[in-house]
Amino acid sequence: MLGLYSPRLSISVALLLAVLCGSVGAQTLWPTTAQWQQLRTAMASDAQVRQVVAAQRRIADQAMQAAPQPIVTLSTGGLLQGDARKQKTATSIKDMDKIQALAVLYKLTDDARYAARAGEFLDAWAGINEPSGQPIDETGLEPAIFGYRLIRADLPAPTRTRIDLWMHNIARAEINSRVLKRPTATNNWHSHRLKLVGLIGYALADTRLIDEAKQGFHTQIIDNLRPDGSSIDFIERDALSYHVYDLRPLVTLALAFAEDGDDDYHWQAPNGASLANSVSWLLPYVRGEKSHAEFAGSRVPFDKARSDNHEKGHEIGAAYDPQNALPLLELAAAYDPACAALARQLGSTPHLRLLLSTLKGA
């Protein structure tokens, strides 16, 4: 059956379904002005919207009373659970969800206090954090970058200048950190690197960074994804969780690029590889139609170290947990109704990303 699979046919069918559902070209990473108004209106009558907004409000209101916890260097990549550096990063990076929630509440309520507090958190990080260019360490900044774009125009100029400089330094450090001779030049590291550069480009309205991310995105599809739908991360790690981890930043970027009228989710490389194809390749494992023993054939010593450390989701031979795919499905829901349906089945509570991905087009 797999031998008869046609990536080009699959993409055509996906496009047709998306057109029928009104999603092609309609959805972007950041809601439009009209979509924010949709959410404000829906808050009065839609229980799921109220639930999502209530969760964001709880985080935002807590942030109004909490102190920022910036650190000089984020450290998580290559470290085992229990490492003090990794734990310190995990504690500090919670600020990013606070920043995003504050920005979202500002857009929904027009309460300037939320924007001001988000700016204070960002300013605290800009004054202390030193970008390392390590994408696995810095990918967790994404919620703050998302939130910054929502509030940037409403912050005082001096604050905006400091935060802009910090984010530009992050992007520049990421660009300069790529070493072409290393596997990290084309594996999931580069997917996360491109995501950071592209999202910062949109947050700062920096077309040079956006163009760099767009060019890199298409090259990464060619280098990283295979015509059968698999990825070099899956091949190297023998883990569907790494396939998901690789695709998430790329789908995030595709949603960002949609602001410019691009449909990079369905963009097909000369070899037939595409994001849409690689997401579709995963879905039988998420639906339980296929199973996979994670990391059983991994070529990476760190995977054995994490397994020996009994880290959940990283034990060699453990069956793949479909819950791992939920964040990817919530992103891909903007393009594929099947992903939206699976995300709703897997998610016990509605999440912000799924809500934004399934908004009606502006």
Side-chain angles (χ1 to χ4, degrees), residues 2 5 10 226-231 234-235 238-241 243-244 247 274-287 290 292:
L2 289 175
Y5 185 78
S10 175
R226 296 294 180 255
D228 69 353
S230 64
S231 61
F234 174 75
I235 294 167
D238 193 23
L240 293 169
S241 57
H243 182 73
V244 169
L247 294 183
S274 74
L275 268 180
N277 191 29
S278 289
V279 171
S280 294
W281 177 85
L282 174 73
L283 296 188
Y285 298 97
V286 179
R287 290 192 292 257
K290 293 182 178 181
H292 181 72

Side-chain angles (χ1 to χ4, degrees), residues 113-338:
R113 294 176 301 166
Y114 287 123
R117 188 61 177 148
E120 290 168 2
F121 268 81
L122 285 160
D123 204 9
W125 276 80
I128 291 177
N129 182 249
E130 297 176 2
S132 66
Q134 213 280 32
I136 304 309
D137 291 345
E138 296 180 340
T139 192
L141 297 172
E142 178 186 334
I145 301 167
F146 178 90
Y148 184 46
R149 193 183 189 205
L150 300 180
I151 64 166
R152 181 174 178 263
D154 300 308
L155 295 180
T159 302
R160 190 166 60 243
T161 297
R162 291 189 294 269
I163 299 169
D164 282 4
L165 177 60
W166 173 55
M167 289 204 176
H168 190 272
N169 286 342
I170 294 168
R172 187 52 50 191
E174 290 294 339
I175 291 169
N176 292 337
S177 72
R178 190 183 187 209
V179 180
L180 291 175
K181 294 182 179 179
R182 294 181 181 174
T184 54
T186 54
N187 71 5
N188 69 86
W189 281 43
H190 195 49
S191 296
H192 288 271
R193 178 184 291 120
L194 290 168
K195 177 197 74 174
L196 287 163
V197 172
L199 297 195
I200 289 172
Y202 281 100
L204 304 185
D206 188 325
T207 56
R208 290 175 299 175
L209 293 179
I210 294 171
D211 289 345
E212 178 125 17
K214 285 185 176 182
Q215 181 178 349
F217 175 94
H218 291 126
T219 302
Q220 181 72 345
I221 298 298
I222 295 168
D223 291 341
N224 186 283
L225 303 184
R226 296 294 180 255
D228 69 353
S230 64
S231 61
I232 62 171
D233 287 277
F234 174 75
I235 294 167
E236 183 179 70
R237 312 300 282 267
D238 193 23
L240 293 169
S241 57
Y242 263 89
H243 182 73
V244 169
Y245 191 59
D246 182 53
L247 294 183
R248 281 171 57 186
L250 295 175
V251 179
T252 300
L253 267 183
L255 279 167
F257 296 155
E259 286 200 15
D260 301 320
D262 301 330
D263 182 7
D264 283 306
Y265 184 77
H266 296 100
W267 181 84
Q268 192 174 71
N271 67 354
S274 74
L275 268 180
N277 191 29
S278 289
V279 171
S280 294
W281 177 85
L282 174 73
L283 296 188
Y285 298 97
V286 179
R287 290 192 292 257
E289 298 163 2
K290 293 182 178 181
S291 60
H292 181 72
E294 293 284 88
F295 301 103
S298 174
R299 308 170 188 173
V300 179
F302 185 56
D303 291 335
K304 184 178 186 307
R306 283 196 299 190
S307 183
D308 291 344
N309 198 39
H310 303 292
E311 298 186 11
K312 184 178 179 180
H314 298 285
E315 294 190 319
I316 292 174
Y320 177 68
D321 181 1
Q323 286 286 334
N324 167 267
L326 182 56
L328 172 62
L329 295 173
E330 291 175 338
L331 289 160
Y335 297 98
D336 188 345

Side-chain angles (χ1 to χ4, degrees), residues 38-55 108 350 355 359:
Q38 283 180 37
L39 286 173
R40 294 187 199 102
T41 302
M43 285 165 57
S45 58
D46 190 310
Q48 286 199 333
V49 172
R50 285 200 301 271
Q51 189 174 357
V52 171
V53 173
L108 290 174
L355 176 63
L359 285 171

